[in-house]
Amino acid sequence: CKPDIVPQRKSRWKDAIPQVVASCIAHSIVIQAGVSMAYSAVLLPQLTEPGSSPTATKDECSWIASLVTIGTLVGSMITGPLMDRFGRKTTCQLSCVPLIVAWMMVFLAHNVEMLYVGRLLAGMGGGLSTVALVYVSEVTYPTIRPMLLCLNSVFVSFGILLTCVLAQWFTWRIMAVWFASLISCTFLALWLIPESPHWLATYKHKRRDHIETSVKWLNRRPQRYQQELATLLETCQQQTDLPKPEEKFSKRFTKSFLTSSTLKPVIILIFIFLFQQLSGGYVVIFYAVHVFKMVGGTFGEGFDEYDTLVLLGLIRFTMSIISAGASRRFGRRPLSILSGLGMCISTFIVGVYLHLKPVPYDGGFTSFRNNTEVVMTPEEENWTCVVCVLLYVCFSSLGVLVIPWTLIGELLPIKIRGIGGGVMVGIAYVLMFIVVKSFPYILDITGTTGIFFIFSMMSLAGVAFVYIFLPETLGKTLKEIEDYFK
């Protein structure tokens, strides 16, 4: 598949404008994943206020929060068969449907059960948005693919930030209207972009003119799209062993999954996601207020928990943009290693500092153990640890929280990219649920100092794994990456 290597590396930005536009429109559906993640932090406190309609008990609140994770798991598992059978673009549009219905249910909710359904559908839509990674990986040049895939995390971070900002002025019902309007605009914008030419050629075997229309939309220069079209048709002819969407799943699994070129990237991705979760990046996001208090920080005049969420949202959003730009220049491996080392050092400093100058377990933090709150005095505030935690968030958003998701669209071969991508996202969310859910109980066992040492060790282990096993994908075509694992 050599014809596309030289031209791809000579790509100019103006040639890639259509691909940037298509990628941004496709990625806009994952804004809802960030929104769903942060929305419960706004919704649940208001549901427990006196006079709220509806009202929710502590147990009901836990279900409202956790149903999103369950829905995401379901959505990510079915997105593979859907994107293989109906196409990448069509599945992007399908993912908008449950999200629109979800926000209508939330807005009209007059009982907790309607909120249950709305949150479950919102999670399903978020799980289906996995298709955006696959779509972007198939329509972009190798030289800009890493940056455009990193936009996935930029849009997720924007969703988190948008939710935190809107919470300053609007109630949860009015916010639901804003989010329903946003996903409706995304649904309409998706009509403007073409279907993935890789899917058209590989799964549907469309006529040459159909494939050429898609390739021509994505490539501005005639010479460019002729080269892309020739390469794509050549690759399609070589994929004689590709399973068809009509085949039974058991046959497809045996035929496609149980091969060396498939198992290697799958195992690499599983371990990368495992170290991503164990290094604590999402724990700090989900328990941001608690983490700041447990290391000795307090909230001063005019600065409350919502302001803290906005601050973390801004940090993650900014670092995600930096990561997107840096990935095009430096690639996956250097950013992952730098990110992991930064997380390792910052959490190690926090652990050592708390060991030498202990902060009471309940200091500035509502204890998971006995639900008592002990507020530190200003003299006891530990700003060294607070700054290190902020640096930890910066480094994690530079690579560890961003790059694993983008690797799904690159490492997995075309024959399992649809189903395999959904399965990988499902595994990642299961790991996230386990780690986030068990954090309070692990903290009871290890204490504050111990939990930061664990984060530090897991970050270092992740760096070692990436250094040894993860290949660099910058500038490589999808065919070259697939051949590497063979």
Side-chain angles (χ1 to χ4, degrees):
C1 214
K2 297 296 182 184
D4 66 336
I5 297 177
V6 175
Q8 295 284 25
R9 290 173 179 166
K10 293 182 179 179
S11 300
R12 296 177 298 179
W13 266 110
K14 65 179 182 179
D15 299 326
I17 290 176
Q19 298 177 17
V20 174
V21 172
S23 298
C24 289
I25 292 176
H27 276 317
S28 64
I29 61 176
V30 303
I31 293 176
Q32 299 292 324
V35 168
S36 297
M37 188 183 301
Y39 188 69
S40 59
V42 178
L43 172 64
L44 299 183
Q46 296 183 32
L47 290 179
T48 56
E49 291 178 355
S52 172
S53 178
T55 58
T57 64
K58 180 179 179 179
D59 181 64
E60 290 171 338
C61 285
S62 68
W63 276 108
I64 292 172
S66 61
L67 279 173
V68 171
T69 306
I70 298 174
T72 302
L73 177 62
V74 174
S76 63
M77 296 299 288
I78 65 175
T79 188
L82 287 176
M83 74 171 79
D84 283 351
R85 188 172 190 85
F86 299 108
R88 307 340 190 185
K89 171 187 170 180
T90 303
T91 307
C92 284
Q93 294 173 311
L94 288 175
S95 69
C96 297
V97 176
L99 288 165
I100 294 173
V101 176
W103 291 119
M104 291 176 60
M105 293 287 292
V106 171
F107 173 72
L108 298 173
H110 55 79
N111 55 49
V112 175
E113 287 72 21
M114 292 183 69
L115 290 176
Y116 287 166
V117 176
R119 294 290 283 169
L120 183 63
L121 290 174
M124 290 182 62
L128 287 170
S129 68
T130 307
V131 65
L133 288 169
V134 176
Y135 178 84
V136 172
S137 70
E138 293 181 353
V139 301
T140 53
Y141 297 146
T143 50
I144 65 170
R145 188 195 310 127
M147 184 192 69
L148 294 180
L149 283 173
C150 282
L151 288 180
N152 183 274
S153 291
V154 172
F155 279 86
V156 172
S157 301
F158 177 74
I160 295 174
L161 177 60
L162 178 64
T163 305
C164 297
V165 171
L166 290 179
Q168 303 284 339
W169 296 290
F170 302 105
T171 64
W172 60 270
R173 274 190 205 277
I174 303 301
M175 289 172 65
V177 177
W178 279 98
F179 298 140
S181 302
L182 179 62
I183 192 60
S184 298
C185 292
T186 298
F187 177 79
L188 295 176
L190 285 167
W191 288 101
L192 302 176
I193 62 177
E195 180 56 84
S196 164
H198 280 265
W199 179 80
L200 289 173
T202 306
Y203 278 98
K204 299 303 290 183
H205 303 290
K206 290 286 187 179
R207 298 195 312 268
R208 179 189 175 98
D209 58 331
H210 291 171
I211 302 172
E212 186 173 359
T213 299
S214 179
V215 175
K216 189 174 182 179
W217 194 101
L218 296 165
N219 298 271
R220 299 181 61 173
R221 288 189 294 172
Q223 180 183 7
R224 162 69 70 178
Y225 79 75
Q226 291 292 345
Q227 293 170 338
E228 290 288 328
L229 182 63
T231 299
L232 188 61
L233 294 176
E234 178 186 347
T235 302
C236 178
Q237 292 175 356
Q238 296 173 356
Q239 295 283 1
T240 55
D241 62 336
L242 188 70
K244 304 301 185 295
E246 293 79 9
E247 291 182 350
K248 292 183 178 180
F249 177 79
S250 58
K251 292 183 179 180
R252 298 182 68 187
F253 183 87
T254 303
K255 191 174 183 179
S256 301
F257 280 66
L258 300 182
T259 62
S260 176
S261 61
T262 298
L263 289 176
K264 288 176 183 178
V266 167
I267 293 173
I268 288 175
L269 285 171
I270 289 175
F271 274 95
I272 287 178
F273 276 113
L274 178 63
F275 288 121
Q276 178 199 58
Q277 300 301 327
L278 293 179
S279 62
Y282 284 99
V283 168
V284 173
I285 293 176
F286 276 86
Y287 296 101
V289 176
H290 290 162
V291 170
F292 273 114
K293 289 185 176 181
M294 63 192 269
V295 299
T298 63
F299 300 108
E301 288 289 333
F303 191 81
D304 58 18
E305 290 84 348
Y306 288 106
D307 296 321
T308 303
L309 292 176
V310 172
L311 175 61
L312 290 182
L314 280 171
I315 291 175
R316 185 175 179 190
F317 180 65
T318 303
M319 295 305 297
S320 297
I321 294 176
I322 294 175
S323 176
S327 64
R328 180 176 181 265
R329 181 176 179 84
F330 302 107
R332 300 285 198 259
R333 280 168 52 86
L335 280 183
S336 297
I337 292 172
L338 175 62
S339 174
L341 288 176
M343 294 169 65
C344 172
I345 294 172
S346 58
T347 50
F348 184 77
I349 292 174
V350 174
V352 171
Y353 200 97
L354 292 178
H355 178 72
L356 297 176
K357 187 179 178 181
V359 173
Y361 177 77
D362 294 335
F365 168 66
T366 303
S367 172
F368 290 105
R369 184 185 300 157
N370 52 26
N371 292 324
T372 60
E373 184 175 7
V374 180
V375 179
M376 299 185 69
T377 63
E379 292 77 13
E380 296 176 302
E381 291 182 20
N382 193 343
W383 289 108
T384 300
C385 291
V386 172
V387 171
C388 285
V389 170
L390 289 175
L391 287 174
Y392 171 80
V393 174
C394 288
F395 279 111
S396 65
S397 300
L398 181 65
V400 170
L401 295 186
V402 176
I403 291 176
W405 304 100
T406 67
L407 290 174
I408 292 175
E410 288 191 307
L411 296 189
L412 296 179
I414 181 68
K415 58 186 177 183
I416 69 154
R417 194 171 297 144
I419 295 177
V423 171
M424 289 311 308
V425 172
I427 292 174
Y429 272 95
V430 169
L431 292 172
M432 184 190 303
F433 175 79
I434 293 172
V435 172
V436 172
K437 181 69 174 177
S438 62
F439 171 72
Y441 308 101
I442 296 175
L443 186 60
D444 280 342
I445 298 172
T446 64
T448 305
T449 301
I451 202 70
F452 280 100
F453 281 135
I454 291 176
F455 289 163
S456 181
M457 289 187 295
M458 291 298 102
S459 298
L460 184 60
V463 169
F465 184 85
V466 167
Y467 181 80
I468 296 172
F469 295 106
L470 180 65
E472 183 54 72
T473 59
L474 178 63
K476 294 183 180 179
T477 66
L478 297 177
K479 185 66 167 58
E480 287 180 301
I481 296 172
E482 185 172 347
D483 288 341
Y484 170 84
F485 288 108
K486 291 181 181 179

